[in-house]
Amino acid sequence: MTDLLKLGALASTAIIDALPDWAAAERLIRRGHRAAYLAGLSERLNVPLDSALLSEKRLSRAERKEVDSLIAAELKYWKGFESEKADLSQGQTDARAAMYGRATRGTYSKARWADWDLPFHPTEGSECLSNCRCHWTVEDNGDGTGAATWHLGATERHCTTCPSRASDSPYSVKRQ
Ligand SMILES: [Zn+2]
């Protein structure tokens, strides 16, 4: 399995290092999310990440649209961040910049589990935001339904929402 924590951490570091070149940092955000999306896709399709089948050029129109809209949503926050940069200390800037690398875990999860109508994804809708290290697994019942389990991140200081997601597991989900 792709080490998503590592990918997120590498992306965070790269983004912080790129600043104050905001355009370069933005390119890294795009690249990080594309990499996370492809990683998720490779696991979903069970195709090695370095396979030619998985090159970005081979993404379907729907997949391309999805990854573009995920990136666009991130960049909206990023633009807000950039507009506030003058008011932020170096430490605050670095901390916020790092979130954009870790947010790639949400993109990975959406690509990995795109076959299922999961109710939410890591880094979303929880107080821990991009610090979330939780992940899904889905057991396929073979009849178009599945049982989805939310696994708490191992070293995460848990927020309020994630433990309740874990205790509410398994969720009944459908193939989409
Ligand atoms: Zn979490």
Side-chain angles (χ1 to χ4, degrees), residues 2-16:
T2 314
D3 189 341
L4 261 291
L5 293 178
K6 208 166 174 182
L7 177 72
L10 285 172
S12 293
T13 307
I15 292 164
I16 291 170

Side-chain angles (χ1 to χ4, degrees), residues 103-166:
T104 53
R105 294 205 287 267
T107 295
Y108 159 81
S109 183
K110 284 175 204 161
R112 171 65 184 86
W113 301 110
D115 291 342
W116 302 96
D117 64 343
L118 297 176
F120 34 74
H121 284 277
T123 75
E124 283 185 352
S126 55
E127 300 80 6
C128 55
L129 298 169
S130 69
N131 290 318
C132 184
R133 294 182 177 201
C134 304
H135 71 275
W136 283 114
T137 55
V138 179
E139 207 166 312
D140 189 347
N141 295 330
D143 61 356
T145 69
T149 301
W150 182 268
H151 299 274
L152 285 175
T155 58
E156 185 180 343
R157 246 193 301 139
H158 297 296
C159 62
T160 315
T161 299
C162 285
S164 79
R165 287 175 175 178

Side-chain angles (χ1 to χ4, degrees), residues 84-117:
E84 293 164 25
K85 66 186 174 191
D87 303 326
L88 300 173
S89 71
Q90 187 65 51
Q92 286 170 324
T93 302
D94 289 355
R96 260 176 83 172
M99 292 174 62
Y100 289 86
R102 292 194 296 260
T104 53
R105 294 205 287 267
T107 295
Y108 159 81
S109 183
K110 284 175 204 161
R112 171 65 184 86
W113 301 110
D115 291 342
W116 302 96
D117 64 343

Side-chain angles (χ1 to χ4, degrees), residues 20-95:
D21 184 340
W22 289 76
E26 184 179 316
R27 284 195 294 277
L28 288 165
I29 292 172
R30 291 176 189 278
R31 201 187 296 169
H33 282 277
R34 283 181 197 284
Y37 189 89
L38 288 172
L41 205 60
S42 97
E43 276 170 44
R44 171 153 56 92
L45 305 176
N46 209 6
V47 172
L49 195 49
D50 56 5
S51 160
L53 283 173
L54 211 71
S55 86
E56 234 179 280
K57 289 187 207 106
R58 298 249 186 160
L59 291 182
S60 71
R61 194 175 296 194
E63 287 162 348
R64 209 176 288 250
K65 210 171 143 190
E66 192 189 9
V67 71
D68 284 345
S69 82
L70 292 171
I71 292 170
E74 279 303 305
L75 291 180
K76 220 168 94 182
Y77 291 115
W78 178 255
K79 293 291 179 201
F81 173 29
E82 187 179 357
S83 71
E84 293 164 25
K85 66 186 174 191
D87 303 326
L88 300 173
S89 71
Q90 187 65 51
Q92 286 170 324
T93 302
D94 289 355

